[in-house]
Amino acid sequence: MSQHPAAIVESTDIGPGTRIWAFVHILAGARIGADCNICDYVFIESDVVVGDRVVIKSGVQLWDGVTLGNDVFVGPNVTFTNDPFPRSHHHQERVGRTTVKAGASIGANATILPGVTIGERAMVGAATVVTRDVPPDTIVVGNPARISGYVGAKPSVSALPRAVLTAPGAAPTSVRGVTLHRLPHAEDLRGQISFCEAERDIPFPVRRHFVIYGVPGENIRGEHAHRRLHQFLICVAGSVRAVADDGATREEFLLDDPTVGLHLPPMIWGVQYKYSPSAVLLVLASDYYDPTDYIRNYDEFVQLTAGER
Amino acid sequence: MSQHPAAIVESTDIGPGTRIWAFVHILAGARIGADCNICDYVFIESDVVVGDRVVIKSGVQLWDGVTLGNDVFVGPNVTFTNDPFPRSHHHQERVGRTTVKAGASIGANATILPGVTIGERAMVGAATVVTRDVPPDTIVVGNPARISGYVGAKPSVSALPRAVLTAPGAAPTSVRGVTLHRLPHAEDLRGQISFCEAERDIPFPVRRHFVIYGVPGENIRGEHAHRRLHQFLICVAGSVRAVADDGATREEFLLDDPTVGLHLPPMIWGVQYKYSPSAVLLVLASDYYDPTDYIRNYDEFVQLTAGER
Amino acid sequence: MSQHPAAIVESTDIGPGTRIWAFVHILAGARIGADCNICDYVFIESDVVVGDRVVIKSGVQLWDGVTLGNDVFVGPNVTFTNDPFPRSHHHQERVGRTTVKAGASIGANATILPGVTIGERAMVGAATVVTRDVPPDTIVVGNPARISGYVGAKPSVSALPRAVLTAPGAAPTSVRGVTLHRLPHAEDLRGQISFCEAERDIPFPVRRHFVIYGVPGENIRGEHAHRRLHQFLICVAGSVRAVADDGATREEFLLDDPTVGLHLPPMIWGVQYKYSPSAVLLVLASDYYDPTDYIRNYDEFVQLTAGER
Amino acid sequence: MSQHPAAIVESTDIGPGTRIWAFVHILAGARIGADCNICDYVFIESDVVVGDRVVIKSGVQLWDGVTLGNDVFVGPNVTFTNDPFPRSHHHQERVGRTTVKAGASIGANATILPGVTIGERAMVGAATVVTRDVPPDTIVVGNPARISGYVGAKPSVSALPRAVLTAPGAAPTSVRGVTLHRLPHAEDLRGQISFCEAERDIPFPVRRHFVIYGVPGENIRGEHAHRRLHQFLICVAGSVRAVADDGATREEFLLDDPTVGLHLPPMIWGVQYKYSPSAVLLVLASDYYDPTDYIRNYDEFVQLTAGER
Amino acid sequence: MSQHPAAIVESTDIGPGTRIWAFVHILAGARIGADCNICDYVFIESDVVVGDRVVIKSGVQLWDGVTLGNDVFVGPNVTFTNDPFPRSHHHQERVGRTTVKAGASIGANATILPGVTIGERAMVGAATVVTRDVPPDTIVVGNPARISGYVGAKPSVSALPRAVLTAPGAAPTSVRGVTLHRLPHAEDLRGQISFCEAERDIPFPVRRHFVIYGVPGENIRGEHAHRRLHQFLICVAGSVRAVADDGATREEFLLDDPTVGLHLPPMIWGVQYKYSPSAVLLVLASDYYDPTDYIRNYDEFVQLTAGER
Amino acid sequence: MSQHPAAIVESTDIGPGTRIWAFVHILAGARIGADCNICDYVFIESDVVVGDRVVIKSGVQLWDGVTLGNDVFVGPNVTFTNDPFPRSHHHQERVGRTTVKAGASIGANATILPGVTIGERAMVGAATVVTRDVPPDTIVVGNPARISGYVGAKPSVSALPRAVLTAPGAAPTSVRGVTLHRLPHAEDLRGQISFCEAERDIPFPVRRHFVIYGVPGENIRGEHAHRRLHQFLICVAGSVRAVADDGATREEFLLDDPTVGLHLPPMIWGVQYKYSPSAVLLVLASDYYDPTDYIRNYDEFVQLTAGER
């Protein structure tokens, strides 16, 4: 640990290799990991845990209740909070606990409301106001924060340009086992109809379907993988973006055409977001509902798929 | 046959019991059935066939190419045509043939464009301008004509008021074997989801689904029965009216809620119409497509179901 | 009475001075007044009453149940009906009775559905389809018919151009006792406010108010006079047209400004129509509700006001 | 002339070859041309002129003031009028004069309001209500009538598919001397810009421009030819249809792209219609305004161009 | 007073019990009350007044012209300003004075523009940008700040569910003397009408009314009490939220139905806000306008009502 | 230079007259000009250049890559950045360089994303988030920043009130040589037309025109002067604001009427911004495109026009 002479460090729990710059003030009890970089004018209260290799730029305060995972980046003047309804000298029974998971970055001058969790590798844009949990690997911006993209996903493209697959059939994607399908379709003056037959157009028998609608635009649905279940997604009204991830490769699809289906086989992490106001997503599934089939933790998912790569 | 002395009747093919009023003019070759009523100022050309028990009110002309089935009613000043692009003294190679099927009525001062067929028992409203075929049993009004209802259907009601069937389950209707279903449904801040499981919430295995959308409001889809196929209709966006008919009873359902399903078992005549602009109708079917399973003629359907009543 | 030799007149109840043209057919029992003009190809059934000085142009049929008042004009090919749901040879228990009141005119090729009453002096435009009652003195056009104006009313103008009466105060109109008022008004960045004080800005004490809203655009409200009640009309949202009539003069006002009021004193016939979709009309009244204060018959109103002129 | 015995013909001014059918009634003074066909139940007043080769189907009346040119077709139950505000027994000082120009057709059951002129070769659709003048060669439908197309024009197509002429330049059309132009164009994140240089992109110097906007959709603008003036049309907002006619060939262009220009050289008849609500048409012209340069009569135009063919 | 050794305190006017943390810098002349908490990196200029029991979190500067009342909370990195158009080295004649009233809280990283007043007990959300005065007891959020609620008001509910008071009449609320009223109402095909009679449906004679409309959604109207005046609020178009407060209890009502009235008797503090874009609020009042009847200061109002509790 | 004892100044390149306040930290290598004011808690890295007479308020960090011109004002807690996608301990190959040009001001708590340039004399509002370049003399606000006005421009007014110049003609403005024109205009039931003739209504021959459309509302077009070219701007759809500047006087015009033209002669700096969504701007120019005719640097323009003043 190196410490600037103008810094005040009352904690004794600071890891090796961590550099502490001028005018920093760290209270006793705070736990700081190794190889961190704590810039000028950073203030850290007692009930705070900071992981290894964390960068905290100038003008940041870490109040009681804040936990930063390994490899977190906190930009300059980022503002944390721990009281949802602050009043002078009101006794706050328990502080709002804020957690920033490993690898996440928080852009300059962002504001983090109390009690939220920022997921692994998420990227919070500059001046963003985070009012609720940020999912792993998402990019959020705005006031209040909304998801604007996924870290590392290939650029979003129209799912299946009509020119590419004009006849019914399937096309592979960059994600293992995930296929895009052009469904049989008929159109006449009386309107349009798309149809598909289980075990023919869809590569599994259909035992269950569900319909998702009325999703506010800033929300995501999905965000999990299945161990054994096959799913087939068709956006029958409006549009939605679907991210598919096999643990190594991630691709984002714009579903906006009732004649396009996206097949998500087992062991694919799926996320749907950016629902248009009128979006209706039809999901056909290969089996009945089974809560034990869900993998809801992305890190667990990556571990499970590691053997397959 | 009785004939007013001021009528001019050059045809000899007029059925018994038919009354012909003053200032009527019937050309040679016209064939008129029995027990008709031909009112003043009606003019009938040679290449015309009129069934039995037909009423033709005053001011109507039946031009070459018009055929009226039995029990048709033609209101006063109804205007038929047989040339889609009339020009003085242009030679018309063949006339547009207009057919009015048995039991249909045409309201006063309506205009019938050449070449259309008006289906059995249809009701054309007064002053309507008929520019294309009118399906059986429909009521059409306006300029141009649009379907406004179905003859004899119970008044349309919201399919399944939430108060009536608040928990998932099925309720019978007035039509034999047809049931309305409340599907399982969940709602949270992130949006809504309805789901159903084949052979559990839906009373059959699902081998095929199709999605109908982009239907212009004046069109109908469906209008047939199946011999063996079960169907399950869910309107997942917008609204549509579905008529179910077992050959004896007919009921109309307003489908406008993704948590409501309508089960049409085999041997039920089904019609869907009045699609809202954004309507998306999901149909789950019990088997693959089989053209021999369709009954497309309503009269044949009624005969086939007669034994079941 | 004069009768063309090619006419067939079976009725004996035809008034003096009435002329009957070629190819007319009048059944026994029909009652026709004096000085009428019955043009070629007119057919009149038995249960029909026609007043004096009526003109019936060619191609018109008067079916059982039609009554025409004095001085009615019926244009060529106007089509009457008497059965709301006609079917061939179905027995109709009672016909729909149609009444055209004195002085009304029906334009060429109009269609009149069964059971309606067309009010005194009303003007039905050519090719109009009349599906419900037409109020006295209105002009109706379209399919279905809508009110497009009032017979004899001055052209509609914006009620009170701001340039004319910029300060609060009242201005007379062409109708006896009716005044237009500019109300006190304030506006700042926070919005607008108009206000008025009873017995100061409004020339009577206010004991009652009512709010009219949700009026379909084709409807009229009002259409009556009060014997003793004062009313003050303010259109606080959208727009509405108000007609005021003192029995001799009639003026139409466009109310579309919450700072404009229209004072209708007693013995003024008032009609409001052409409500915009969002129109809200606030009416302040000088007394409690009293059904005996209403004059609902325009002819009675004209008689009552005659002495005042 | 041939006349059915049940017809009443009081006029002596009827041309050779004209056939008059049963129950027709023609008053003295009416002038009927040669080779006409007057069907049953047609009534013709005295102050009427009918050209040669005219067909009048059943149920039509021609009132005082109606003039039909040569080769006109009048469908069954078409209704003419001659009084814009008919009242029983009100003295009408002068009748509304209605003129149907040579070659025009009026569809079944149409209604023609008094005082209108229907242009040469125009086609009035069945049940149409004509409330104002119909330009030559137009097709009108609806209540009230609106222009729906042009007789004989090639089907409307998008003016210049981007695929066809991707680089700036000109392409010929089927009309003599008329060219379609792709203008230079640039687009970046800041918006779009199209530009053209006189005597380079536009084949003439520009001395005048005008901007047409706020055109109600049912109206037409243009409808004339120029003797010497070149014009260059660019639709810079919305869309408009432009018809170009060299007297022999006629083509219709959909202008809906600010990078497309249409060059109308001298001696081309031009019509613009079907303006979208937001349409703005920019016209660049080769010279200052000169009223003697206009040819406003289509027949004169055809004569003048005849020599060039 | 306790002072960290790394703080620089040049003022001598600091109250007892106040704690001053590391790296704080207070210039001479600043006046700080008792029992305050001044956290690390706070900078306070000379022309500043801070009340008692004030909390100022890290990273805040109080520039010349800022006054904080007692019990104010200032979150971390909150940024004050005192120059509306700052330019380097331009001489600013007088600073913009900013006042934060007693009990108010300012959330983390909020920005306060110069010259505004933040009312008593108001709550400024995190990252909010305050561009104009914040009324007492309001909650404001966003950029720029808008009112999102009232501190301590009961949750907003639909004013009067139809199920609760289906017949005309009045219902009490939680606020002393304030009643909600269902007004008599009639509805037919021609539209809807609600009406009320003074001294019958409304519990006072009506001498004045005013109409409030065109209120931008972020504004409030009202915000005062009356000593003797009764008011009756009816939202005749759109919706508005009305807060009623008797000094001890506060309730918020959603007015969105022309058949609902809210009676505010004398000595009730009333606020209306969240006007929908089309809202029109009709207010009936028991007397003429009298400026001496208004209580515009909430603290004075609370004092005056204290005796009544 | 004066330096507070609690400041840490490692740079030796600091100009005379510059004052450095408490808790400031300036790294070696930073270059600071003369007469600057560096307030408490300001941190300045090594690769930073600050001009003369710059004010930097408290809580600001200047990271490597930031350059501030002379006379720049940086408000409190303004946050600079230099990494567009920050990750903890990722090696950043080159920093994003941010430049603030002479005379610009940055309001309190604003956030400046890496790599942008803020133009001369621009004014960035408090709490603004600057995501791309800010043009000279503009005022920007919001998240993300949008142009809200121009520094020093006269208040925007409707370009040419109809009352002022009712007949076609020209009116001078406050900017040298710039004139506003009312164009000849005609209006009838068929729509509107405005027209102008080169060298008559427009004071120059027209050799080129261009059409600008599809401009996102936050963008500007123009922003240059011409040496010899005359331009004539007509907004033929929607609205746009045009700023004209002769180097000494600046005026802003709202162009929203196709009958209004704005003549920009040579040596006038022109900017167009605040395009409405449907805006279409027609520009007529006196000559062909010539890149050497453009002056794109405002300072150069001011110098060139200095001699003319």
Side-chain angles (χ1 to χ4, degrees), chain C residues 241-266:
Chain C
R241 283 159 195 271
V243 176
D245 180 343
D246 59 17
T249 304
R250 183 181 288 169
E251 188 167 346
E252 179 176 316
F253 306 95
L254 170 63
L255 301 180
D256 63 354
D257 183 338
T259 71
V260 168
L262 180 68
H263 175 209
L264 299 180

Side-chain angles (χ1 to χ4, degrees), chain B residues 154-206:
Chain B
K154 287 192 181 187
S156 161
V157 293
S158 176
L160 200 61
R162 288 189 177 257
V164 168
L165 194 56
T166 53
T173 72
S174 70
V175 183
R176 176 173 37 83
V178 173
T179 45
L180 271 167
H181 295 245
R182 171 75 65 198
L183 301 177
H185 172 253
E187 177 175 358
D188 61 22
L189 283 176
R190 296 173 310 153
Q192 307 199 52
I193 183 167
S194 81
F195 37 89
C196 54
E197 302 192 334
E199 302 181 62
R200 293 182 183 178
D201 306 301
I202 302 176
F204 53 83
V206 174

Side-chain angles (χ1 to χ4, degrees), chain F residues 187-203:
Chain F
E187 177 175 359
D188 62 22
L189 283 176
R190 296 173 309 154
Q192 308 199 52
I193 183 166
S194 80
F195 37 89
C196 54
E197 302 192 334
E199 303 181 62
R200 293 181 182 178
D201 305 302
I202 302 176

Side-chain angles (χ1 to χ4, degrees), chain B:
Chain B
M1 186 190 96
S2 71
Q3 177 184 342
H4 191 281
I8 304 169
V9 179
E10 300 163 10
S11 167
T12 58
D13 191 357
I14 298 183
T18 287
R19 285 178 299 170
I20 297 173
W21 295 82
F23 307 121
V24 166
H25 189 180
I26 302 177
L27 299 194
R31 290 154 52 200
I32 315 286
D35 296 319
C36 293
N37 195 13
I38 316 289
C39 296
D40 290 56
Y41 318 116
V42 169
F43 174 79
I44 301 179
E45 272 194 307
S46 301
D47 181 10
V48 169
V49 179
V50 174
D52 299 334
R53 294 172 305 282
V54 171
V55 172
I56 307 175
K57 303 295 287 187
S58 298
V60 175
Q61 307 93 28
L62 302 183
W63 309 107
D64 284 348
V66 173
T67 299
L68 307 183
N70 294 334
D71 300 303
V72 163
F73 174 94
V74 181
N77 289 342
V78 165
T79 307
F80 288 90
T81 59
N82 67 2
D83 187 350
F85 209 81
R87 287 302 195 191
S88 170
H89 290 275
H90 283 211
H91 179 66
Q92 189 184 359
E93 298 200 356
R94 40 185 300 253
V95 299
R97 306 204 75 88
T98 302
T99 305
V100 184
K101 292 294 185 69
S105 293
I106 304 178
N109 212 10
T111 306
I112 313 299
L113 271 74
V116 305
T117 296
I118 297 174
E120 289 82 359
R121 295 166 303 283
M123 173 69 68
V124 176
T128 297
V129 182
V130 177
T131 59
R132 51 184 176 175
D133 290 357
V134 176
D137 292 298
T138 56
I139 304 168
V140 297
V141 298
N143 176 358
R146 294 181 171 227
I147 298 172
S148 74
Y150 267 77
V151 174
K154 287 192 181 187
S156 161
V157 293
S158 176
L160 200 61
R162 288 189 177 257
V164 168
L165 194 56
T166 53
T173 72
S174 70
V175 183
R176 176 173 37 83
V178 173
T179 45
L180 271 167
H181 295 245
R182 171 75 65 198
L183 301 177
H185 172 253
E187 177 175 358
D188 61 22
L189 283 176
R190 296 173 310 153
Q192 307 199 52
I193 183 167
S194 81
F195 37 89
C196 54
E197 302 192 334
E199 302 181 62
R200 293 182 183 178
D201 306 301
I202 302 176
F204 53 83
V206 174
R207 284 219 185 74
R208 181 167 55 114
H209 86 269
F210 44 98
V211 174
I212 299 169
Y213 58 98
V215 179
E218 69 268 32
N219 276 306
I220 61 165
R221 301 285 321 205
E223 225 192 348
H224 55 251
H226 287 280
R227 296 176 199 277
R228 289 171 303 275
L229 191 76
H230 290 258
Q231 291 189 309
F232 197 84
L233 281 59
I234 307 171
C235 186
V236 296
S239 67
V240 65
R241 282 158 197 273
V243 176
D245 181 344
D246 59 17
T249 303
R250 181 181 291 169
E251 188 166 347
E252 178 175 319
F253 305 95
L254 171 63
L255 301 181
D256 63 352
D257 183 339
T259 70
V260 168
L262 179 69
H263 175 210
L264 299 180
M267 294 311 290
I268 292 295
W269 188 261
V271 176
Q272 298 96 44
Y273 77 119
K274 283 193 183 166
Y275 284 80
S276 73
S278 61
V280 178
L281 183 68
L282 169 66
V283 182
L284 306 168
S286 63
D287 213 336
Y288 299 132
Y289 175 70
D290 174 5
T292 70
D293 187 57
Y294 283 71
I295 307 169
R296 295 193 180 276
N297 183 293
Y298 184 75
D299 290 338
E300 178 191 350
F301 166 73
V302 171
Q303 277 190 310
L304 287 169
T305 58
E308 307 189 25
R309 288 197 296 273

